[in-house]
Amino acid sequence: MTVVLDGESLAPEDVAAVARDGARIEVAETARERVRESRARVEDVIESGEAVYGLNTGFGELVDERIPPEELEQLQTNLLRSHAAGAGRELEREEVRAMLVARINALVTGYSGIRETVIDHLVAICNEGVHPVVRSRGSLGASGDLAPLAHLSLVLIGEGEAVVEGTSEEAERRLPGDEALAAIGLEPLSLQPKEGLALINGTQLTAGLAALAVVDGERLVRGADAAGALTIETSLGTTATADAAIHEARPHAGQLESARAVRELTAGSEIVEAHRNCDRVQDAYSLRCLPQVHGAVRDALTHLRDAVSIELNSATDNPLVFAGDRVDDRASGTDRAAVLSGGNFHGTPLALRLEYARLALTDLAAISERRIDRLLNPNLQEPHLPPFLAADGGVESGYMIAQYTAAALVNELRSLGAASADNTPVSGGQEDHVSMSAQSALHARRAVENATQVVGAELVCAAQAAEYVDDAFETDDSLSLGVGTSAVCELVRGVVPSLEADRPVHTDVDRAAALLARGLVDEAIARATDGRSERE
């Protein structure tokens, strides 16, 4: 697969394809032409001798310091070196690649004034598997993700470190920047005016992580719909609460979609039909309100997707370079080129939506944990289910502690602070309001990870509960699950055998969570349902 970067159409799925699946990237010729035009404008300003921030001045509080022409190259190099001040764990391979593709696409929008050769170096290291070593902490989300992007960019000048992917004959290697470039036939770059700042001034750690969170979160909600539907069936709940009429009376888009998913997943269920006229009046909220809760999570992720889609295709560094006739006479520059300082590096448009998505995913995990408890808890579960789904209760504990772990994971998410609500002025007070968007993105990633484990635990417990459903009815025939839930249950049983005696259950949950994370639950549902319930 090849992802073509044009500065206009990069989608979260494209970021995931490059980050995880090894998709190669190319730069569209139209984008390359914009890059060349933008660079010509920068050179026009440099030749004019006018003092322009980012080109021939200091940075931050040192903005009033004019830099002599003979020191401009050193200025850009020093910028990368001094800003590589990150801390914390190193970013994972997929996180680095997501940041790389997002950074390249932002640069080819044509407002950064960077040379084409810098773009080519970035494309080459991504395509050839050279992954800069980037520390995960240090960004304030204004002026963008400075520290992480500086670590990323050091490799371009032959400094820092990178992990070079191995081949069938050679293992993966961790090398100094110059050796990593040499491994793929590249020489270190000497950065020209504006280029160092263009490389590190932007929101691409935030945007890259947010893109992955969108893709993973949306897939997880679909998996949670399946896990919840399976729990409804195996606990003898009703699917009448997913009736279209209810949700058309309150037509939030996500709610409509989750209700439709429950109907489709449970279509043809003999279990649902077997107790259609039972005397239960209402199910507990964790079952009855699945469409409303899951639907609200869908809507939160859609809200994030909208912002990420814009951010991935935006110019987010500072200053930005425009044609001279495009802006008014307050801009620095010449008749041909105008340089404007602004705040597109500020991560708040992503930070606030990432916080919203994190809260939504926390609630998705919370309602899933409540459904797990209803399958296991002898004070709440249906009579046909043994306590904690143990084959020999008392001697065995079954899946009792799976719910403990789910509760711990939910608690961890609830304890995460709202990073974007914090602010610490920096750079001598010049940068006096920052977004903390990178921390919001890291929290959103944690929310996806924890919620995936919780929903994985629900899948495991619901599949085990399915083993006991026939005990609830006076029939010798085995009653079938719905067309979709049956496929999901079979998928789980393919990696998690029935619990016939106590065993360490972390492997069960990990395997089910992997089915969710790898999209295999999605695929099983798509194969089995094909829109069947809506046609019926």
PDB file of all heavy atoms in Angstrom, residues 27-43 107-111 113-117 119-120 336:
ATOM      1  N   VAL A  27       5.043  11.765  -2.035  1.00  0.00           N
ATOM      2  CA  VAL A  27       4.562  13.141  -1.995  1.00  0.00           C
ATOM      3  C   VAL A  27       4.059  13.515  -3.384  1.00  0.00           C
ATOM      4  O   VAL A  27       4.764  13.338  -4.381  1.00  0.00           O
ATOM      5  CB  VAL A  27       5.666  14.117  -1.550  1.00  0.00           C
ATOM      6  CG1 VAL A  27       5.155  15.558  -1.579  1.00  0.00           C
ATOM      7  CG2 VAL A  27       6.153  13.748  -0.148  1.00  0.00           C
ATOM      8  N   ALA A  28       2.828  14.001  -3.439  1.00  0.00           N
ATOM      9  CA  ALA A  28       2.230  14.383  -4.724  1.00  0.00           C
ATOM     10  C   ALA A  28       3.015  15.534  -5.350  1.00  0.00           C
ATOM     11  O   ALA A  28       3.552  16.400  -4.657  1.00  0.00           O
ATOM     12  CB  ALA A  28       0.777  14.797  -4.511  1.00  0.00           C
ATOM     13  N   GLU A  29       3.071  15.559  -6.673  1.00  0.00           N
ATOM     14  CA  GLU A  29       3.813  16.609  -7.371  1.00  0.00           C
ATOM     15  C   GLU A  29       3.228  17.986  -7.096  1.00  0.00           C
ATOM     16  O   GLU A  29       3.955  18.974  -6.993  1.00  0.00           O
ATOM     17  CB  GLU A  29       3.828  16.331  -8.870  1.00  0.00           C
ATOM     18  CG  GLU A  29       4.616  17.348  -9.688  1.00  0.00           C
ATOM     19  CD  GLU A  29       6.062  17.493  -9.200  1.00  0.00           C
ATOM     20  OE1 GLU A  29       6.665  16.490  -8.781  1.00  0.00           O
ATOM     21  OE2 GLU A  29       6.578  18.644  -9.257  1.00  0.00           O
ATOM     22  N   THR A  30       1.917  18.069  -6.965  1.00  0.00           N
ATOM     23  CA  THR A  30       1.311  19.371  -6.653  1.00  0.00           C
ATOM     24  C   THR A  30       1.814  19.899  -5.314  1.00  0.00           C
ATOM     25  O   THR A  30       2.041  21.103  -5.149  1.00  0.00           O
ATOM     26  CB  THR A  30      -0.224  19.258  -6.610  1.00  0.00           C
ATOM     27  OG1 THR A  30      -0.598  18.202  -5.703  1.00  0.00           O
ATOM     28  CG2 THR A  30      -0.787  18.965  -7.996  1.00  0.00           C
ATOM     29  N   ALA A  31       1.992  18.994  -4.353  1.00  0.00           N
ATOM     30  CA  ALA A  31       2.508  19.392  -3.044  1.00  0.00           C
ATOM     31  C   ALA A  31       3.978  19.790  -3.147  1.00  0.00           C
ATOM     32  O   ALA A  31       4.419  20.750  -2.501  1.00  0.00           O
ATOM     33  CB  ALA A  31       2.327  18.262  -2.041  1.00  0.00           C
ATOM     34  N   ARG A  32       4.737  19.061  -3.938  1.00  0.00           N
ATOM     35  CA  ARG A  32       6.152  19.411  -4.123  1.00  0.00           C
ATOM     36  C   ARG A  32       6.296  20.806  -4.724  1.00  0.00           C
ATOM     37  O   ARG A  32       7.186  21.571  -4.341  1.00  0.00           O
ATOM     38  CB  ARG A  32       6.843  18.381  -5.010  1.00  0.00           C
ATOM     39  CG  ARG A  32       7.059  17.037  -4.334  1.00  0.00           C
ATOM     40  CD  ARG A  32       7.851  16.083  -5.200  1.00  0.00           C
ATOM     41  NE  ARG A  32       8.141  14.848  -4.496  1.00  0.00           N
ATOM     42  CZ  ARG A  32       9.155  14.664  -3.663  1.00  0.00           C
ATOM     43  NH1 ARG A  32       9.991  15.675  -3.428  1.00  0.00           N
ATOM     44  NH2 ARG A  32       9.353  13.510  -3.062  1.00  0.00           N
ATOM     45  N   GLU A  33       5.429  21.158  -5.637  1.00  0.00           N
ATOM     46  CA  GLU A  33       5.488  22.485  -6.240  1.00  0.00           C
ATOM     47  C   GLU A  33       5.205  23.557  -5.182  1.00  0.00           C
ATOM     48  O   GLU A  33       5.855  24.614  -5.162  1.00  0.00           O
ATOM     49  CB  GLU A  33       4.477  22.579  -7.383  1.00  0.00           C
ATOM     50  CG  GLU A  33       4.455  23.937  -8.095  1.00  0.00           C
ATOM     51  CD  GLU A  33       5.789  24.311  -8.684  1.00  0.00           C
ATOM     52  OE1 GLU A  33       6.568  23.423  -9.094  1.00  0.00           O
ATOM     53  OE2 GLU A  33       6.064  25.538  -8.750  1.00  0.00           O
ATOM     54  N   ARG A  34       4.257  23.289  -4.294  1.00  0.00           N
ATOM     55  CA  ARG A  34       3.985  24.240  -3.216  1.00  0.00           C
ATOM     56  C   ARG A  34       5.205  24.401  -2.306  1.00  0.00           C
ATOM     57  O   ARG A  34       5.511  25.505  -1.849  1.00  0.00           O
ATOM     58  CB  ARG A  34       2.774  23.782  -2.387  1.00  0.00           C
ATOM     59  CG  ARG A  34       1.445  23.904  -3.094  1.00  0.00           C
ATOM     60  CD  ARG A  34       0.290  23.840  -2.097  1.00  0.00           C
ATOM     61  NE  ARG A  34       0.257  22.601  -1.352  1.00  0.00           N
ATOM     62  CZ  ARG A  34      -0.427  21.517  -1.702  1.00  0.00           C
ATOM     63  NH1 ARG A  34      -1.145  21.531  -2.823  1.00  0.00           N
ATOM     64  NH2 ARG A  34      -0.411  20.426  -0.954  1.00  0.00           N
ATOM     65  N   VAL A  35       5.884  23.296  -2.024  1.00  0.00           N
ATOM     66  CA  VAL A  35       7.088  23.349  -1.191  1.00  0.00           C
ATOM     67  C   VAL A  35       8.159  24.205  -1.859  1.00  0.00           C
ATOM     68  O   VAL A  35       8.801  25.051  -1.204  1.00  0.00           O
ATOM     69  CB  VAL A  35       7.617  21.922  -0.917  1.00  0.00           C
ATOM     70  CG1 VAL A  35       8.998  21.966  -0.269  1.00  0.00           C
ATOM     71  CG2 VAL A  35       6.638  21.156  -0.025  1.00  0.00           C
ATOM     72  N   ARG A  36       8.370  24.024  -3.144  1.00  0.00           N
ATOM     73  CA  ARG A  36       9.388  24.805  -3.860  1.00  0.00           C
ATOM     74  C   ARG A  36       9.040  26.295  -3.862  1.00  0.00           C
ATOM     75  O   ARG A  36       9.910  27.150  -3.661  1.00  0.00           O
ATOM     76  CB  ARG A  36       9.541  24.276  -5.283  1.00  0.00           C
ATOM     77  CG  ARG A  36      10.164  22.892  -5.356  1.00  0.00           C
ATOM     78  CD  ARG A  36      10.519  22.510  -6.769  1.00  0.00           C
ATOM     79  NE  ARG A  36       9.361  22.195  -7.574  1.00  0.00           N
ATOM     80  CZ  ARG A  36       8.883  20.954  -7.760  1.00  0.00           C
ATOM     81  NH1 ARG A  36       9.457  19.918  -7.156  1.00  0.00           N
ATOM     82  NH2 ARG A  36       7.824  20.745  -8.525  1.00  0.00           N
ATOM     83  N   GLU A  37       7.776  26.614  -4.081  1.00  0.00           N
ATOM     84  CA  GLU A  37       7.355  28.017  -4.085  1.00  0.00           C
ATOM     85  C   GLU A  37       7.554  28.651  -2.709  1.00  0.00           C
ATOM     86  O   GLU A  37       8.004  29.800  -2.592  1.00  0.00           O
ATOM     87  CB  GLU A  37       5.882  28.110  -4.494  1.00  0.00           C
ATOM     88  CG  GLU A  37       5.621  27.784  -5.955  1.00  0.00           C
ATOM     89  CD  GLU A  37       4.136  27.761  -6.275  1.00  0.00           C
ATOM     90  OE1 GLU A  37       3.320  27.903  -5.336  1.00  0.00           O
ATOM     91  OE2 GLU A  37       3.790  27.601  -7.467  1.00  0.00           O
ATOM     92  N   SER A  38       7.217  27.907  -1.671  1.00  0.00           N
ATOM     93  CA  SER A  38       7.348  28.427  -0.322  1.00  0.00           C
ATOM     94  C   SER A  38       8.815  28.677   0.019  1.00  0.00           C
ATOM     95  O   SER A  38       9.162  29.693   0.639  1.00  0.00           O
ATOM     96  CB  SER A  38       6.724  27.441   0.673  1.00  0.00           C
ATOM     97  OG  SER A  38       6.800  27.918   1.991  1.00  0.00           O
ATOM     98  N   ARG A  39       9.690  27.768  -0.413  1.00  0.00           N
ATOM     99  CA  ARG A  39      11.118  27.956  -0.142  1.00  0.00           C
ATOM    100  C   ARG A  39      11.662  29.172  -0.876  1.00  0.00           C
ATOM    101  O   ARG A  39      12.477  29.932  -0.333  1.00  0.00           O
ATOM    102  CB  ARG A  39      11.908  26.711  -0.539  1.00  0.00           C
ATOM    103  CG  ARG A  39      13.378  26.818  -0.172  1.00  0.00           C
ATOM    104  CD  ARG A  39      13.551  26.949   1.325  1.00  0.00           C
ATOM    105  NE  ARG A  39      14.857  27.508   1.708  1.00  0.00           N
ATOM    106  CZ  ARG A  39      15.211  27.791   2.944  1.00  0.00           C
ATOM    107  NH1 ARG A  39      14.356  27.582   3.932  1.00  0.00           N
ATOM    108  NH2 ARG A  39      16.391  28.292   3.216  1.00  0.00           N
ATOM    109  N   ALA A  40      11.214  29.380  -2.097  1.00  0.00           N
ATOM    110  CA  ALA A  40      11.664  30.550  -2.860  1.00  0.00           C
ATOM    111  C   ALA A  40      11.278  31.838  -2.140  1.00  0.00           C
ATOM    112  O   ALA A  40      12.034  32.824  -2.141  1.00  0.00           O
ATOM    113  CB  ALA A  40      11.067  30.512  -4.260  1.00  0.00           C
ATOM    114  N   ARG A  41      10.124  31.837  -1.488  1.00  0.00           N
ATOM    115  CA  ARG A  41       9.699  33.026  -0.745  1.00  0.00           C
ATOM    116  C   ARG A  41      10.610  33.277   0.457  1.00  0.00           C
ATOM    117  O   ARG A  41      10.957  34.424   0.760  1.00  0.00           O
ATOM    118  CB  ARG A  41       8.243  32.860  -0.305  1.00  0.00           C
ATOM    119  CG  ARG A  41       7.254  32.873  -1.471  1.00  0.00           C
ATOM    120  CD  ARG A  41       5.812  32.679  -1.001  1.00  0.00           C
ATOM    121  NE  ARG A  41       4.920  32.595  -2.148  1.00  0.00           N
ATOM    122  CZ  ARG A  41       4.050  31.616  -2.358  1.00  0.00           C
ATOM    123  NH1 ARG A  41       3.941  30.623  -1.481  1.00  0.00           N
ATOM    124  NH2 ARG A  41       3.282  31.612  -3.433  1.00  0.00           N
ATOM    125  N   VAL A  42      10.976  32.221   1.147  1.00  0.00           N
ATOM    126  CA  VAL A  42      11.891  32.379   2.278  1.00  0.00           C
ATOM    127  C   VAL A  42      13.216  32.967   1.816  1.00  0.00           C
ATOM    128  O   VAL A  42      13.767  33.892   2.443  1.00  0.00           O
ATOM    129  CB  VAL A  42      12.109  31.016   2.981  1.00  0.00           C
ATOM    130  CG1 VAL A  42      13.288  31.095   3.946  1.00  0.00           C
ATOM    131  CG2 VAL A  42      10.860  30.598   3.734  1.00  0.00           C
ATOM    132  N   GLU A  43      13.742  32.445   0.745  1.00  0.00           N
ATOM    133  CA  GLU A  43      15.030  32.936   0.249  1.00  0.00           C
ATOM    134  C   GLU A  43      14.927  34.395  -0.192  1.00  0.00           C
ATOM    135  O   GLU A  43      15.884  35.178  -0.024  1.00  0.00           O
ATOM    136  CB  GLU A  43      15.507  32.042  -0.890  1.00  0.00           C
ATOM    137  CG  GLU A  43      15.870  30.644  -0.392  1.00  0.00           C
ATOM    138  CD  GLU A  43      16.183  29.665  -1.503  1.00  0.00           C
ATOM    139  OE1 GLU A  43      15.986  30.037  -2.686  1.00  0.00           O
ATOM    140  OE2 GLU A  43      16.610  28.530  -1.188  1.00  0.00           O
ATOM    141  N   LEU A 107       4.118  19.723   6.456  1.00  0.00           N
ATOM    142  CA  LEU A 107       5.127  20.514   5.758  1.00  0.00           C
ATOM    143  C   LEU A 107       4.800  20.710   4.286  1.00  0.00           C
ATOM    144  O   LEU A 107       5.126  21.748   3.701  1.00  0.00           O
ATOM    145  CB  LEU A 107       6.496  19.861   5.914  1.00  0.00           C
ATOM    146  CG  LEU A 107       7.092  19.866   7.336  1.00  0.00           C
ATOM    147  CD1 LEU A 107       8.353  19.023   7.389  1.00  0.00           C
ATOM    148  CD2 LEU A 107       7.371  21.286   7.806  1.00  0.00           C
ATOM    149  N   VAL A 108       4.147  19.712   3.663  1.00  0.00           N
ATOM    150  CA  VAL A 108       3.868  19.840   2.227  1.00  0.00           C
ATOM    151  C   VAL A 108       2.594  20.625   1.940  1.00  0.00           C
ATOM    152  O   VAL A 108       2.202  20.760   0.782  1.00  0.00           O
ATOM    153  CB  VAL A 108       3.823  18.460   1.528  1.00  0.00           C
ATOM    154  CG1 VAL A 108       5.123  17.704   1.725  1.00  0.00           C
ATOM    155  CG2 VAL A 108       2.624  17.629   1.972  1.00  0.00           C
ATOM    156  N   THR A 109       1.968  21.178   2.994  1.00  0.00           N
ATOM    157  CA  THR A 109       0.879  22.118   2.718  1.00  0.00           C
ATOM    158  C   THR A 109       1.413  23.378   2.039  1.00  0.00           C
ATOM    159  O   THR A 109       0.653  24.123   1.420  1.00  0.00           O
ATOM    160  CB  THR A 109       0.131  22.514   4.005  1.00  0.00           C
ATOM    161  OG1 THR A 109       1.048  23.115   4.931  1.00  0.00           O
ATOM    162  CG2 THR A 109      -0.540  21.301   4.638  1.00  0.00           C
ATOM    163  N   GLY A 110       2.720  23.627   2.189  1.00  0.00           N
ATOM    164  CA  GLY A 110       3.344  24.708   1.441  1.00  0.00           C
ATOM    165  C   GLY A 110       3.411  26.042   2.137  1.00  0.00           C
ATOM    166  O   GLY A 110       3.535  27.076   1.474  1.00  0.00           O
ATOM    167  N   TYR A 111       3.387  26.065   3.469  1.00  0.00           N
ATOM    168  CA  TYR A 111       3.471  27.328   4.205  1.00  0.00           C
ATOM    169  C   TYR A 111       4.681  27.391   5.126  1.00  0.00           C
ATOM    170  O   TYR A 111       4.810  28.345   5.895  1.00  0.00           O
ATOM    171  CB  TYR A 111       2.207  27.526   5.036  1.00  0.00           C
ATOM    172  CG  TYR A 111       0.940  27.612   4.215  1.00  0.00           C
ATOM    173  CD1 TYR A 111       0.061  26.533   4.140  1.00  0.00           C
ATOM    174  CD2 TYR A 111       0.635  28.764   3.502  1.00  0.00           C
ATOM    175  CE1 TYR A 111      -1.098  26.603   3.384  1.00  0.00           C
ATOM    176  CE2 TYR A 111      -0.524  28.845   2.738  1.00  0.00           C
ATOM    177  CZ  TYR A 111      -1.374  27.760   2.686  1.00  0.00           C
ATOM    178  OH  TYR A 111      -2.516  27.831   1.924  1.00  0.00           O
ATOM    179  N   GLY A 113       8.144  26.928   4.260  1.00  0.00           N
ATOM    180  CA  GLY A 113       9.393  27.455   3.718  1.00  0.00           C
ATOM    181  C   GLY A 113      10.565  26.511   3.796  1.00  0.00           C
ATOM    182  O   GLY A 113      11.724  26.932   3.831  1.00  0.00           O
ATOM    183  N   ILE A 114      10.304  25.222   3.800  1.00  0.00           N
ATOM    184  CA  ILE A 114      11.347  24.221   3.944  1.00  0.00           C
ATOM    185  C   ILE A 114      11.776  23.716   2.569  1.00  0.00           C
ATOM    186  O   ILE A 114      10.991  23.709   1.621  1.00  0.00           O
ATOM    187  CB  ILE A 114      10.830  23.072   4.839  1.00  0.00           C
ATOM    188  CG1 ILE A 114      11.961  22.311   5.487  1.00  0.00           C
ATOM    189  CG2 ILE A 114       9.891  22.142   4.074  1.00  0.00           C
ATOM    190  CD1 ILE A 114      11.499  21.456   6.662  1.00  0.00           C
ATOM    191  N   ARG A 115      13.033  23.290   2.433  1.00  0.00           N
ATOM    192  CA  ARG A 115      13.513  22.787   1.140  1.00  0.00           C
ATOM    193  C   ARG A 115      12.958  21.392   0.837  1.00  0.00           C
ATOM    194  O   ARG A 115      12.678  20.606   1.746  1.00  0.00           O
ATOM    195  CB  ARG A 115      15.036  22.729   1.120  1.00  0.00           C
ATOM    196  CG  ARG A 115      15.746  24.056   1.017  1.00  0.00           C
ATOM    197  CD  ARG A 115      17.236  23.861   1.138  1.00  0.00           C
ATOM    198  NE  ARG A 115      17.566  23.284   2.449  1.00  0.00           N
ATOM    199  CZ  ARG A 115      18.693  22.602   2.711  1.00  0.00           C
ATOM    200  NH1 ARG A 115      19.582  22.393   1.754  1.00  0.00           N
ATOM    201  NH2 ARG A 115      18.916  22.124   3.913  1.00  0.00           N
ATOM    202  N   GLU A 116      12.866  21.096  -0.431  1.00  0.00           N
ATOM    203  CA  GLU A 116      12.359  19.799  -0.869  1.00  0.00           C
ATOM    204  C   GLU A 116      13.252  18.664  -0.392  1.00  0.00           C
ATOM    205  O   GLU A 116      12.773  17.562  -0.092  1.00  0.00           O
ATOM    206  CB  GLU A 116      12.226  19.784  -2.388  1.00  0.00           C
ATOM    207  CG  GLU A 116      11.373  18.675  -2.927  1.00  0.00           C
ATOM    208  CD  GLU A 116      11.131  18.811  -4.431  1.00  0.00           C
ATOM    209  OE1 GLU A 116      11.654  19.774  -5.048  1.00  0.00           O
ATOM    210  OE2 GLU A 116      10.422  17.952  -4.980  1.00  0.00           O
ATOM    211  N   THR A 117      14.551  18.907  -0.298  1.00  0.00           N
ATOM    212  CA  THR A 117      15.461  17.844   0.132  1.00  0.00           C
ATOM    213  C   THR A 117      15.189  17.412   1.572  1.00  0.00           C
ATOM    214  O   THR A 117      15.386  16.246   1.925  1.00  0.00           O
ATOM    215  CB  THR A 117      16.935  18.289  -0.015  1.00  0.00           C
ATOM    216  OG1 THR A 117      17.791  17.192   0.267  1.00  0.00           O
ATOM    217  CG2 THR A 117      17.277  19.441   0.922  1.00  0.00           C
ATOM    218  N   ILE A 119      12.177  17.330   2.912  1.00  0.00           N
ATOM    219  CA  ILE A 119      11.017  16.444   2.750  1.00  0.00           C
ATOM    220  C   ILE A 119      11.467  15.063   2.292  1.00  0.00           C
ATOM    221  O   ILE A 119      11.014  14.028   2.813  1.00  0.00           O
ATOM    222  CB  ILE A 119      10.020  17.036   1.727  1.00  0.00           C
ATOM    223  CG1 ILE A 119       9.526  18.425   2.166  1.00  0.00           C
ATOM    224  CG2 ILE A 119       8.851  16.080   1.494  1.00  0.00           C
ATOM    225  CD1 ILE A 119       8.710  18.435   3.415  1.00  0.00           C
ATOM    226  N   ASP A 120      12.367  15.025   1.331  1.00  0.00           N
ATOM    227  CA  ASP A 120      12.833  13.744   0.787  1.00  0.00           C
ATOM    228  C   ASP A 120      13.533  12.909   1.847  1.00  0.00           C
ATOM    229  O   ASP A 120      13.387  11.682   1.886  1.00  0.00           O
ATOM    230  CB  ASP A 120      13.768  13.981  -0.393  1.00  0.00           C
ATOM    231  CG  ASP A 120      13.036  14.510  -1.623  1.00  0.00           C
ATOM    232  OD1 ASP A 120      11.815  14.285  -1.719  1.00  0.00           O
ATOM    233  OD2 ASP A 120      13.678  15.152  -2.475  1.00  0.00           O
ATOM    234  N   ARG A 336       7.017  39.949  -2.746  1.00  0.00           N
ATOM    235  CA  ARG A 336       6.769  38.589  -3.236  1.00  0.00           C
ATOM    236  C   ARG A 336       6.423  37.614  -2.114  1.00  0.00           C
ATOM    237  O   ARG A 336       5.772  36.597  -2.347  1.00  0.00           O
ATOM    238  CB  ARG A 336       7.996  38.062  -3.979  1.00  0.00           C
ATOM    239  CG  ARG A 336       8.300  38.785  -5.286  1.00  0.00           C
ATOM    240  CD  ARG A 336       9.550  38.189  -5.912  1.00  0.00           C
ATOM    241  NE  ARG A 336       9.441  36.733  -6.030  1.00  0.00           N
ATOM    242  CZ  ARG A 336      10.486  35.914  -6.152  1.00  0.00           C
ATOM    243  NH1 ARG A 336      11.711  36.400  -6.123  1.00  0.00           N
ATOM    244  NH2 ARG A 336      10.302  34.620  -6.291  1.00  0.00           N
TER     245      ARG A 336
END
